[in-house]
Amino acid sequence: MPEHTVDEQLTKYLTDVHSIEEQALAQLRLAPRVAGDPELRRIFGEHLRETEEQERLVREQLERVGAKPSTVKDVAGRVGGWGMILFARVNPDTPGKLAMHAYSYEHMELAAYELLRRIADRAGNQAVRDMAQRIGAQERTMADRIAGSWDRAVDASLREKGAEDIGKDLVKYLRDAHALEAQALQLLETGPQIAGFEALAEVFRDHLDQTREHQRLVDERLAAHDSRPARFHAGAMRVGALNLGTFFKAQPDTPAKLAGFAYAFEALETGAYELLTRVARRAGDEETAAMAERIVGEERAAAERVAGTWDVAAELVLREMTVGAG
Ligand SMILES: [Fe+2]
Ligand SMILES: [Fe+2]
Ligand SMILES: [Fe+2]
């Protein structure tokens, strides 16, 4: 029966968001140590309390739909859980990196709840629908708070650094941006084949040319600083443990996950360029600052286009399940 499969799908997504919240809790408990600024520390502390409540609410709904704790445990530990894909090995070591990762993570949460809300709607589960809407709004607010704190995060990262050190930092940020664009290329080149639906594939194809151009521009700025991209991306940047391989093991929900993941990835890039803009300005490199500012706008626009595919993505998840049941 289709209704039965929609309920199953609902349970699966509830389990997914539960594991996302558990990972959020772990990250938020560590955040104050790295935040480097009282206001940032306060923001993270507040969201920790909010997240504790979110975890409880999701668990409550899971219990209501009758999911066994063992199921919850299984899926939480499963490699390929949403958060695991992008953040498994992330260990931000500066206030700037922390803000950038947190910003991306909030976007991933938002995407997950947007999807859950649509699925709950179709399953006729009003309680889950309302919960997803409410928590999604909290994630968006948290993302906005971080977006209002880029200056603060950069100040905290560069505090007590001399002009020479800031110049060196600028090269590091440029190299990170370069590595991030390399990962973006990987995502966008492979994405259309695993997207599973045309709307998302098209967004990927459109953003691919832009991404090549971003990388070229960053390359140019590196050259202007007598520098080059780092030879080993992994060494240059311990952010975004991007594991596209997970997506190749295509599952019915691969397109939906990819649509959420790509959104978080564009947010990660947005954060990287927000930081780069400010570090460049502090280093007196207006050209890099202007470039980064322009790219920020394009990353943000790409994220919004990805968000525009969520309706179709959710439909696809539900259709797959119904077809699968027949
Ligand atoms: Fe959350
Ligand atoms: Fe959150
Ligand atoms: Fe991008």
Side-chain angles (χ1 to χ4, degrees):
M1 276 162 81
E3 288 92 325
H4 178 63
T5 62
V6 170
D7 282 345
E8 274 176 5
Q9 198 63 354
L10 191 64
T11 304
K12 205 195 131 305
Y13 272 88
L14 275 169
T15 313
D16 274 357
V17 296
H18 188 260
S19 78
I20 286 173
E21 294 303 349
E22 291 214 306
Q23 208 181 334
L25 283 174
Q27 287 169 2
L28 287 165
R29 283 184 184 126
L30 293 172
R33 278 186 228 168
V34 192
D37 172 274
E39 177 61 10
L40 281 171
R41 214 169 284 133
R42 191 188 63 78
I43 291 173
F44 284 118
E46 237 171 54
H47 196 53
L48 171 59
R49 281 186 296 279
E50 214 164 40
T51 301
E52 282 165 350
E53 174 69 2
Q54 293 172 352
E55 186 276 331
R56 193 187 62 73
L57 289 171
V58 174
R59 188 154 31 86
E60 217 172 74
Q61 291 304 326
L62 266 171
E63 280 157 12
R64 277 186 58 180
V65 297
K68 293 185 204 81
S70 67
T71 319
V72 177
K73 232 185 189 165
D74 279 1
V75 183
R78 188 185 65 183
V79 178
W82 283 63
M84 293 299 168
I85 298 164
L86 192 53
F87 299 95
R89 285 182 286 143
V90 164
N91 199 3
D93 54 353
T94 65
K97 288 247 161 80
L98 175 68
M100 162 184 161
H101 281 105
Y103 184 68
S104 177
Y105 200 86
E106 295 306 326
H107 280 80
M108 190 185 65
E109 293 191 286
L110 175 58
Y113 283 105
E114 286 282 339
L115 222 49
L116 177 63
R117 177 170 62 79
R118 286 162 169 84
I119 291 163
D121 209 18
R122 283 287 302 271
N125 189 323
Q126 188 71 28
V128 172
R129 192 202 166 280
D130 291 350
M131 180 198 72
Q133 183 149 30
R134 197 175 126 205
I135 298 181
Q138 290 176 341
E139 312 297 17
R140 193 185 288 276
T141 303
M142 178 58 181
D144 290 345
R145 269 187 216 127
I146 298 168
S149 309
W150 296 122
D151 282 326
R152 219 171 256 289
V154 168
D155 281 350
S157 296
L158 299 183
R159 196 173 293 146
E160 286 157 26
K161 288 201 176 180
E164 195 184 323
D165 285 342
I166 294 178
K168 274 187 202 150
D169 264 37
L170 174 57
V171 169
K172 271 193 219 153
Y173 279 88
L174 277 166
R175 283 181 156 177
D176 281 356
H178 196 278
L180 210 47
E181 294 296 359
Q183 288 188 309
L185 286 175
Q186 197 191 343
L187 170 68
L188 297 171
E189 277 164 359
T190 327
Q193 296 136 52
I194 47 177
F197 62 114
E198 182 49 28
L200 184 59
E202 191 185 300
V203 175
F204 285 161
R205 282 195 299 267
D206 290 351
H207 193 43
L208 181 58
D209 283 339
Q210 270 182 341
T211 299
R212 288 200 184 102
E213 176 66 2
H214 295 169
Q215 203 184 38
R216 193 190 63 74
L217 289 168
V218 171
D219 228 338
E220 247 174 41
R221 294 317 300 156
L222 274 168
H225 287 273
D226 286 324
S227 197
R228 272 174 301 174
R231 200 181 313 224
F232 300 108
H233 291 146
M237 184 156 99
R238 299 219 169 274
V239 300
L242 174 57
N243 183 3
L244 275 176
T246 309
F247 285 115
F248 287 113
K249 298 183 207 101
Q251 287 157 1
D253 63 344
T254 293
K257 261 191 188 160
L258 191 58
F261 171 78
Y263 185 66
F265 192 83
E266 295 306 329
L268 191 65
E269 291 183 288
T270 301
Y273 286 105
E274 292 280 14
L275 297 176
L276 179 60
T277 304
R278 287 161 177 83
V279 173
R281 208 150 270 153
R282 290 280 297 265
D285 179 354
E286 271 307 318
E287 243 177 284
T288 297
M291 173 206 74
E293 221 159 37
R294 201 195 96 199
I295 297 179
V296 164
E298 293 184 354
E299 305 297 8
R300 210 171 272 138
E304 283 323 302
R305 282 198 62 193
V306 172
T309 70
W310 289 341
D311 277 335
V312 185
E315 276 303 313
L316 215 72
V317 168
L318 293 161
R319 204 179 313 147
E320 283 276 346
M321 290 314 291
T322 312
V323 170

